[in-house]
Amino acid sequence: MDEVFKALADPSRRRLLDSLNARNGQTLRELCSGLEMTRQSVSKHLAVLEGVDLVTTVWRGREKLHYLNAMPINAIADRWINQYDRRRAGALVDLKTALEDSRVSDFVYTTYIHTTAERLWQALTEPAFTQRYWGIALESDWKVGSTVTWRMNGATIEDPEQVVLESDPPRRLAYTWHSFTPEFAEAMEQDAEGVARVAEERRSRVTFDIEPRGGMVKLTVVHGGFEPGSEVRKSIGEGWPELLSSLKTLLETGEPLPA
């Protein structure tokens, strides 16, 4: 983690992170326009931040979008924050808090898994796999426009708006998030009134980008499309890191994290 601290020590790089924290998913041109730095300087600083996974990139057509990656910040704060005094760790704490804040539009998480792209695609799309690390069976033919059925704790969540948005095996998958129904509230033992309020929010979407890296695979998850102050955004910000850690553990060891 020394490299992460070195990257955060530079004020120009912190300004770039601040810019992405204010509005995630910016192009290089957009980042340059909001900062008093040359394009070359911004590119160099972004390369350093990408090198330590503080920033991750996703191609959307011809545009390369830059996102804050929550993984290294969460790892440092959760494991080592108590080893440093509050004054020195203040900036890191503030950034971690901002990444978890429901007002941030998109949740972005990048992890590296010792597996193949094909095996990871299976883990994301086959019910037997998703049941093991997620506790949920996702059922679909995974063609664009097809519905995705969620089965959990004896409940079935089906909705014509739960659909596959993009499917390019084994490189990219995107679908709309599930509906929040009374059956979901009962299966997850959640307050029915609270779930009913969440159901009024606009539907979000999740995208999985899979990129082979030698003997590893880079997985970037982008979950976005939230309303300001979204309760769904708050809940997934807490859930995705644990879920993706369990997925990684399953693919690398054969067993998911303990429930």
Side-chain angles (χ1 to χ4, degrees), residues 1-199:
M1 288 294 176
D2 287 348
E3 293 81 5
V4 176
F5 282 111
K6 290 178 182 177
L8 288 169
D10 187 284
S12 295
R13 292 175 199 141
R14 292 200 299 272
R15 286 199 296 272
L16 279 170
L17 294 177
D18 287 339
S19 179
L20 290 174
N21 184 46
R23 184 166 65 85
N24 226 354
Q26 295 188 57
T27 63
L28 176 60
R29 176 181 56 80
E30 290 170 328
L31 285 167
C32 291
S33 66
L35 299 168
E36 295 181 358
M37 285 189 277
T38 66
R39 184 183 183 92
Q40 184 178 19
S41 295
V42 172
S43 295
K44 288 182 178 179
H45 286 307
L46 284 173
V48 173
L49 293 170
E50 287 184 56
V52 296
D53 292 328
L54 284 166
V55 168
T56 192
T57 58
V58 175
W59 285 94
R60 293 289 185 268
R62 296 183 178 180
E63 289 189 325
K64 184 180 182 181
L65 304 182
H66 299 79
Y67 291 90
L68 267 176
N69 179 26
M71 188 270 290
I73 297 298
N74 280 318
I76 293 172
D78 291 343
R79 185 169 179 180
W80 287 290
I81 198 69
N82 291 332
Q83 298 182 24
Y84 297 88
D85 64 76
R86 180 65 60 181
R87 179 181 59 81
R88 292 176 61 195
L92 186 61
V93 172
D94 290 344
L95 182 56
K96 181 178 185 292
T97 300
L99 286 169
E100 295 173 345
D101 194 324
S102 62
R103 292 173 296 178
V104 179
S105 57
D106 293 342
F107 176 85
V108 183
Y109 198 97
T110 294
T111 187
Y112 294 84
I113 306 173
H114 284 283
T115 189
T116 64
E118 291 76 15
R119 187 68 169 167
L120 178 53
W121 181 270
Q122 283 184 299
L124 294 173
T125 59
E126 293 187 4
F129 259 114
T130 60
Q131 181 68 50
R132 290 194 68 192
Y133 66 87
W134 201 338
I136 297 169
L138 298 181
E139 299 177 359
S140 178
D141 62 12
W142 302 108
K143 297 178 181 178
V144 173
S146 294
T147 57
V148 182
T149 299
W150 294 56
R151 301 189 191 278
M152 61 184 80
N153 297 341
T156 298
I157 303 177
E158 297 177 297
D159 192 306
E161 294 186 10
Q162 282 177 199
V163 296
V164 179
L165 300 172
E166 299 180 59
S167 183
D168 182 15
R171 296 183 294 181
R172 193 151 195 257
L173 177 67
Y175 51 80
T176 55
W177 203 234
H178 68 80
S179 300
F180 293 91
T181 65
E183 291 78 14
F184 170 81
E186 183 176 355
M188 303 305 292
E189 298 182 348
Q190 295 188 3
D191 175 63
E193 292 185 2
V195 171
R197 289 194 300 271
V198 168

